[in-house]
Amino acid sequence: MFGPEIDADDSVFVHETALVYGRVRLAEDVSIWPYVVIRSELHEVCIGARTNVQDFVLIHIGFDHPVLIGEDCSITHHATLHGCTIGDRTLVGINATVMDGVTVGANSVIAGHAILPENATYPNNSIIAGVPGKVVATRDCGESNLVNARFYRQNARNYRIGQHRFSERDIAAFKAS
């Protein structure tokens, strides 16, 4: 279901069970998977090209903050993003929570179940874990995060045509990209 201000092109995949309301911009090849909820009453939600938002993710603006998600990101199952900024090629782990005013740099990984407290800033190439979330290592995870985003981009292309499993040809094309 779509609200009145969705900005997306034909390359975007939004599963029929996703609920998207308010001012939401979805760049090319974004995929929104089952039971995602995106709400934007005061600000906007902007999701960068080739980013995937996986099953049961909740994205909501903060009172003072939009949600800005970079390109080639993976926002994995049950994550919550609330009024935050996520850099390019970042993976947000399963059930992680990122609160208002948080900025996460590019090429980072947020571990599953981490909680990033309000207004925290994490530099590029951070591996963030714990409650509250802290940088536990520094490593450029951009390439491995990009591989995950490419997988979901191909998966979304398949779903758009009703193909719910990878074929041998898809696997070969994925490996070549």
Side-chain angles (χ1 to χ4, degrees), residues 61-80:
I61 51 89
F63 188 77
D64 293 320
H65 303 283
V67 175
L68 307 173
I69 303 171
E71 297 182 349
D72 300 303
C73 293
S74 293
I75 313 304
T76 67
H77 313 287
H78 289 274
T80 298

Side-chain angles (χ1 to χ4, degrees), residues 102-150:
V102 169
T103 300
V104 177
N107 308 314
S108 295
V109 171
I110 301 170
H113 299 277
I115 298 178
L116 282 57
E118 291 183 348
N119 301 313
T121 299
Y122 302 89
N124 293 344
N125 307 316
S126 292
I127 299 176
I128 305 158
V131 179
K134 294 183 178 167
V135 176
V136 296
T138 301
R139 180 173 59 241
D140 183 346
C141 296
E143 189 60 37
S144 60
N145 292 345
L146 184 58
V147 169
N148 193 66
R150 285 179 178 155

Side-chain angles (χ1 to χ4, degrees), residues 23-147:
R23 189 180 326 148
V24 178
R25 292 175 178 28
L26 306 175
E28 67 186 41
D29 284 322
V30 163
S31 58
I32 307 295
W33 292 93
Y35 303 104
V36 167
V37 175
I38 302 173
R39 287 187 24 233
S40 179
E41 299 87 1
L42 295 172
H43 301 287
E44 65 183 355
V45 172
C46 296
I47 301 177
R50 300 167 305 280
T51 287
N52 60 88
V53 180
Q54 298 174 19
D55 313 50
F56 297 100
V57 166
L58 170 64
I59 298 174
H60 189 231
I61 51 89
F63 188 77
D64 293 320
H65 303 283
V67 175
L68 307 173
I69 303 171
E71 297 182 349
D72 300 303
C73 293
S74 293
I75 313 304
T76 67
H77 313 287
H78 289 274
T80 298
L81 303 182
H82 202 274
C84 59
T85 299
I86 305 295
D88 295 340
R89 295 169 308 282
T90 291
L91 184 139
V92 178
I94 291 173
N95 230 6
T97 300
V98 184
M99 292 304 299
D100 295 12
V102 169
T103 300
V104 177
N107 308 314
S108 295
V109 171
I110 301 170
H113 299 277
I115 298 178
L116 282 57
E118 291 183 348
N119 301 313
T121 299
Y122 302 89
N124 293 344
N125 307 316
S126 292
I127 299 176
I128 305 158
V131 179
K134 294 183 178 167
V135 176
V136 296
T138 301
R139 180 173 59 241
D140 183 346
C141 296
E143 189 60 37
S144 60
N145 292 345
L146 184 58
V147 169

